[in-house]
Amino acid sequence: MLGMGNAWSSGLTKFEAADPAYWVAHGYAVCNPDMRGIAHSEGNITEIGSQEAQDGYDLIEWIASQPWSSGKTALTGTSYLAWSQWFIAAEQPPHLTAINPTEGLSDGYRDLAYIGGIPDKNFINRLGANHVSATGALREDLTKEIDAYPLADAAVWQDKIADTSKIKVPAYVIGSYSNTLHTMGTFRAWRNLGSSEKWLRIHDRQEWPFYYDKDNTEELRRFMDYYLLDKDNDWPKTQQVRYTTIDFEGHNKTDIAATAFPPTGSQLTRYYLNGQLRLLQTEPTTTDVPVKYQAGGLPGRASFQMTFEKDTEFVGYPKAKLYMAAEGYDDMDVYVWVQKLDARGNVLSEFVVPNHGAALQDFTQEGASALRYKGVWGRLRASMRHLDDKVSTDEIPAYAFDRVEKLSNGEVVALDIVLSQWALPTRLAKRYVWLSAQRTSWAALCRNTRCYS
């Protein structure tokens, strides 16, 4: 359906994992274990966390002790197989030599169950359905845990946070801007990574076409050859950060070299919402003009637009700071969307998979941003707005999610809404912020309301 064809897999490949047909031919052994409780593995099924991390530790040490093993092991894979790498590597198995997490969330609460403090059972139900046992194993039910433990400080969610500061082995991390499940978790894990040898490559595709691409597989082998086979190649000279700019009009620039992300020299820029003219502008207004709409009705959102008079590139960690109030409700779910318009006002988007056909149009017109990227996004439940003072910064807010602070009728509250990462050039184009809220009406006070880029 994605249009990748048969070239992406030899038929020996486990889903989202390395292809043995390629790697064995280059001197590697590939181990694709079934986690505890899956298929014929013994025990009961847990969904990420300390149990799976400890099992991974034991498996790595077992592999290293086999007569066919050199004693050096590495982890690779996408999505769930990237998520598990953060946890296993943080256990510091002595014979783990390197890791290659390719787009995977790193916090089960913030990246999966309660993105922005808003419960989301849809993907968790799909994920659980794929955890299949041939022996009748019991399975952890994350949907029931969402209902039973709504705050992040519950032990079940604390066990699903990867402490990537404990990872000391070399790491070649792959990320993108488009995946609503993986983007924020991948970048957060990268920022906190404890390894002194780490590389970040940000691409403009969905992870499967990227991971199984022939040239990208060859580059991954250079990384693995250097650390596992002791080959004296030039991997250490690889640029520490490479990122992509997505322009939505066929002119993406890939593998832009940098020493950090955001690139050194980037400037934090503030844009202010003008409620009267519905504009984004570089200076705040002098008068508050509330912007109101009824959620669930038409238009169901409020948009603010800005036209750029010169080429501009946005790269890094954007956020939106909004001052909002609900009328007749004690809470609200706020969704923020940043999109790019062309000079004629058309909203732009970009497929990140090879198939651009009619079936994909059906599937992605109203969603599926992992397959069709439509712009930077973020969401927040107003009652979960409390920031974590220990890790939150002005550039990148971080929520505690340890309390519920309901709203009084008409009470104006400040909401720092984390948005997904981006690198977006504009060419005399327009871009606008699109705000919407569910189950409530709201008013945004526009003076000193800021969108960061």
Side-chain angles (χ1 to χ4, degrees):
M1 180 180 180
L2 302 187
M4 295 173 63
N6 295 325
W8 78 309
S9 173
S10 65
L12 302 174
T13 307
K14 196 167 186 176
F15 181 56
E16 300 183 322
D19 187 348
Y22 174 88
W23 289 95
V24 171
H26 289 91
Y28 292 86
V30 176
C31 179
N32 281 322
D34 289 319
M35 60 185 277
R36 181 182 294 243
I38 299 297
H40 294 276
S41 287
E42 298 87 351
N44 294 322
I45 302 167
T46 60
E47 304 248 1
I48 292 294
S50 58
Q51 181 64 75
E52 188 171 316
Q54 292 162 13
D55 290 348
Y57 179 110
D58 293 343
L59 178 67
I60 287 170
E61 294 308 297
W62 177 85
I63 291 173
S65 70
Q66 300 308 300
W68 44 263
S69 173
S70 69
K72 292 186 174 185
T73 65
L75 298 170
T76 184
T78 80
S79 193
Y80 195 101
L81 300 184
W83 188 11
S84 60
Q85 288 181 59
W86 302 126
F87 287 83
I88 295 170
E91 291 289 317
Q92 300 180 346
H95 289 91
L96 179 62
T97 307
I99 61 173
N100 168 233
T102 300
E103 295 203 52
L105 50 87
S106 57
D107 186 320
Y109 185 95
R110 291 166 176 81
D111 300 332
L112 183 65
Y114 279 89
I115 301 174
I118 302 172
D120 189 346
K121 297 180 181 180
N122 179 53
F123 185 75
I124 284 178
N125 280 323
R126 294 171 55 199
L127 184 65
N130 289 320
H131 284 66
V132 178
S133 171
T135 62
L138 298 177
R139 184 177 71 206
E140 180 180 13
D141 191 330
L142 285 179
T143 58
K144 289 184 178 180
E145 289 171 348
I146 286 176
D147 292 333
Y149 307 105
L151 298 180
D153 55 2
V156 65
W157 301 120
Q158 289 296 304
D159 190 58
K160 300 183 189 301
I161 301 173
D163 185 356
T164 59
S165 69
K166 294 180 179 178
I167 298 175
K168 306 301 181 182
V169 297
Y172 176 32
V173 180
I174 306 297
S176 76
Y177 312 117
S178 62
N179 195 313
T180 52
L181 279 173
H182 298 158
T183 299
M184 292 188 184
T186 301
F187 280 84
R188 186 191 311 112
W190 155 261
R191 292 195 301 271
N192 297 330
L193 202 58
S195 175
S196 60
E197 299 174 88
K198 62 179 183 179
W199 290 265
L200 174 65
R201 189 178 181 191
I202 307 167
H203 63 91
D204 60 350
R205 286 183 266 178
Q206 196 264 355
E207 62 248 37
W208 302 335
F210 179 92
Y211 186 74
Y212 293 102
D213 177 85
K214 179 180 178 182
D215 291 339
N216 296 332
T217 301
E218 289 285 325
E219 173 160 298
L220 176 58
R221 184 163 67 89
R222 285 180 49 237
F223 172 76
M224 296 296 187
D225 282 356
Y226 183 81
Y227 286 106
L228 270 68
L229 300 187
D230 297 320
K231 290 190 176 182
D232 187 18
N233 59 29
D234 60 352
W235 177 262
K237 297 180 181 179
T238 303
Q239 192 67 37
Q240 186 177 18
V241 173
R242 285 169 289 170
Y243 69 96
T244 293
T245 59
I246 298 180
D247 100 330
F248 295 104
E249 296 180 281
H251 307 290
N252 293 358
K253 294 182 179 179
T254 59
D255 291 331
I256 302 170
T259 57
F261 189 87
T264 303
S266 300
Q267 295 182 341
L268 188 64
T269 305
R270 297 182 181 185
Y271 295 93
Y272 299 84
L273 302 180
N274 184 321
Q276 183 176 13
L277 301 178
R278 291 295 192 88
L279 296 175
L280 274 176
Q281 56 192 42
T282 56
E283 297 295 333
T285 59
T286 58
T287 304
D288 287 338
V289 179
V291 175
K292 299 182 179 183
Y293 71 84
Q294 180 68 42
L298 291 176
R301 56 176 55 89
S303 301
F304 300 83
Q305 190 167 294
M306 182 174 188
T307 300
F308 288 84
E309 304 300 334
K310 63 179 180 180
D311 290 355
T312 306
E313 181 178 285
F314 296 91
V315 58
Y317 302 108
K319 77 170 187 178
K321 187 176 184 70
L322 305 174
Y323 295 87
M324 301 181 68
E327 299 175 354
Y329 293 84
D330 63 3
D331 211 347
M332 54 186 167
D333 292 342
V334 183
Y335 292 78
V336 179
W337 202 356
V338 182
Q339 291 188 285
K340 183 178 179 181
L341 286 67
D342 65 18
R344 292 168 297 280
N346 299 305
V347 179
L348 302 177
S349 63
E350 178 171 309
F351 277 106
V352 292
V353 293
N355 182 9
H356 302 170
L360 262 289
Q361 294 284 349
D362 293 343
F363 194 61
T364 63
Q365 197 65 236
E366 302 300 330
S369 64
L371 307 179
R372 184 177 177 181
Y373 182 52
K374 302 176 183 180
V376 173
W377 62 276
R379 63 193 186 197
L380 178 65
R381 177 161 288 184
S383 61
M384 304 288 274
R385 64 189 179 277
H386 184 78
L387 297 176
D388 186 341
D389 295 336
K390 296 179 180 178
V391 295
S392 188
T393 66
D394 186 52
E395 181 183 10
I396 308 175
Y399 314 113
F401 293 136
D402 61 355
R403 68 199 71 185
V404 176
E405 299 174 320
K406 293 290 188 177
L407 307 178
S408 301
N409 188 50
E411 176 191 6
V412 178
V413 294
L415 304 178
D416 287 275
I417 302 179
V418 177
L419 304 181
S420 58
Q421 290 67 62
W422 65 357
L424 170 69
T426 65
R427 291 183 174 84
L428 304 184
K430 300 176 180 178
R431 61 182 274 274
Y432 65 85
V433 180
W434 199 338
L435 308 177
S436 66
Q438 290 186 342
R439 299 193 300 277
T440 178
S441 60
W442 65 272
L445 299 180
C446 295
R447 188 182 68 184
N448 298 325
T449 300
R450 299 167 289 190
C451 283
Y452 287 75
S453 61

